[in-house]
Amino acid sequence: MEEMKDMEAFRLMVRRLILAGSPIRIDNGSPAHARVILEEMFKHAQRTAFVFCGCISMSVWGSETMAACIEDAICNRGVDVHFIVQNPDKIPAASPTVAMLRRHPGTIVTSPLFKDFESHFAVFDQKMYRIEKNDADKTANAYANNRENGVALEQLAKQMSEIAKQV
């Protein structure tokens, strides 16, 4: 019960930082924190969302809530969503998010060229992003408003997406 209250407090903090356009860093150190941050970023995305991940893991991306957040962004706000997946053979078949993304052709791309990349990230509207320091632990830094790095990450993600489409 206490953990649930802590996560809701964390969610409220993340939401407020996004709404305020805060430039401060949001440290996070668990798959649950990652899930909250990414759900909130999808809820507030207006134009673009690029995700570079290992396999669309169940621990972060596998919930019905996450799938609903992403689908709302795609269907109700017209957000251009792209998942660039490092290990396509490890994408979980039972994931609600994966099932939803597959209903939207072109949202998942893969390339063997990215198999050795060690850091994963997600970037939204060229300003909100989360970049992992340690993929196994899901520890990362996130920012609700850091346009300089957000623009650079989105440019990288666009290049990666184009490369993956050509392979």
Side-chain angles (χ1 to χ4, degrees):
M1 183 70 163
E2 191 66 32
E3 186 177 324
M4 197 161 76
K5 286 170 96 173
D6 289 345
M7 288 312 295
E8 283 310 308
F10 183 74
R11 180 182 299 280
L12 182 60
M13 178 198 69
V14 170
R15 185 177 301 142
R16 286 181 177 164
L17 291 171
I18 290 171
L19 290 172
S22 173
I24 69 167
R25 183 181 71 225
I26 306 165
D27 285 330
N28 57 110
S30 73
H33 284 125
R35 192 170 40 254
V36 166
I37 289 168
L38 293 164
E39 284 173 1
E40 289 300 319
M41 288 182 173
F42 265 108
K43 287 178 184 178
H44 292 90
Q46 296 298 313
R47 294 178 309 285
T48 58
F50 289 88
V51 176
F52 173 60
C53 60
C55 63
I56 313 179
S57 71
M58 290 296 287
S59 65
V60 174
W61 301 102
S63 72
E64 291 284 346
T65 301
M66 180 65 80
C69 290
I70 299 169
E71 188 155 47
D72 179 62
I74 292 169
C75 296
N76 295 327
R77 292 189 310 282
V79 175
D80 188 20
V81 173
H82 300 271
F83 274 71
I84 305 156
V85 181
Q86 192 173 28
N87 302 303
D89 54 322
K90 295 182 180 177
I91 294 174
S95 169
T97 297
V98 171
M100 181 277 303
L101 288 170
R102 287 194 170 135
R103 291 193 303 269
H104 299 279
T107 56
I108 301 174
V109 296
T110 66
S111 173
L113 297 175
F114 309 132
K115 69 179 173 50
D116 294 326
F117 283 29
E118 293 184 17
S119 186
H120 298 140
F121 63 89
V123 59
F124 304 81
D125 295 342
Q126 296 186 324
K127 64 178 183 177
M128 297 180 286
Y129 68 89
R130 180 182 179 278
I131 187 163
E132 291 181 352
K133 298 182 283 188
N134 183 311
D135 178 55
D137 294 337
K138 301 297 183 232
T139 58
N141 291 324
Y143 292 85
N145 187 10
N146 182 323
R147 188 152 307 270
E148 183 179 347
N149 289 340
V151 167
L153 275 174
E154 184 169 304
Q155 289 173 343
L156 173 62
K158 283 181 178 179
Q159 291 172 344
M160 292 171 73
S161 184
E162 287 304 314
I163 288 167
K165 289 175 186 173
Q166 294 172 7
V167 174

